[in-house]
Amino acid sequence: MNNPASFLILLLLTVTFLQSGYDKLFYWKDNLAWLKEHFSKTVIKNMVTQALAFILLLELVTVILAIAGMVQLLYNGNREYGFYAAIMSCVTLLFLLFGQRLAKDYDGARTIVIYFIPAVLAVYWLN
């Protein structure tokens, strides 16, 4: 493998979104209840269920692409799936950031930016 940094960032993104997706999938009711309260004073207060499903879908697609990207890097050095995973990671994180800003959860938004930095680096390295 000639690109260990890219592999490690894809692994980071896989772990991040796999855990987040797992949490949403297996603790749906708890997440939904918390998010309904979190967004109760925003314009999306009546769309929380759909928003949660959409974010879960984005996270699952990102994980699949990231795993495929790591396999591709290991077996033939190709970066195509990893690049798409990095792009999807950025898109997913931007949606999450938008939600946190909408809810005026600035600490939550700051945390998302911490994940966004390596995702952007992955886009750059895998391009």
Side-chain angles (χ1 to χ4, degrees):
M1 178 174 46
N2 61 2
N3 203 344
S6 294
F7 182 88
L8 290 171
I9 288 183
L10 288 173
L11 184 59
L12 169 78
L13 296 172
T14 299
V15 169
T16 299
F17 289 115
L18 187 61
Q19 175 60 41
S20 184
Y22 173 87
D23 189 48
K24 286 175 182 66
L25 198 57
F26 291 100
Y27 300 99
W28 181 265
K29 289 181 184 178
D30 295 338
N31 276 280
L32 190 57
W34 184 84
L35 289 168
K36 282 185 176 183
E37 175 62 29
H38 192 63
F39 291 107
S40 65
K41 297 176 182 162
T42 70
V43 296
I44 66 165
K45 64 184 174 190
N46 297 322
M47 299 182 290
V48 174
T49 303
Q50 296 89 336
L52 182 58
F54 179 68
I55 292 296
L56 175 59
L57 177 65
L58 290 176
E59 289 176 342
L60 293 177
V61 169
T62 301
V63 167
I64 291 166
L65 288 169
I67 291 170
M70 288 186 296
V71 169
Q72 213 176 28
L73 277 174
L74 283 174
Y75 284 102
N76 61 16
N78 197 331
R79 301 177 297 185
E80 182 179 13
Y81 288 123
F83 175 71
Y84 293 136
I87 293 288
M88 281 301 299
S89 295
C90 289
V91 169
T92 303
L93 290 164
L94 287 170
F95 273 105
L96 291 169
L97 177 66
F98 175 74
Q100 296 296 58
R101 297 290 299 192
L102 195 60
K104 297 186 183 344
D105 181 356
Y106 301 114
D107 286 334
R110 185 177 17 248
T111 300
I112 292 167
V113 170
I114 292 169
Y115 289 99
F116 189 72
I117 294 166
V120 170
L121 282 173
V123 170
Y124 177 75
W125 285 335
L126 292 164
N127 187 11

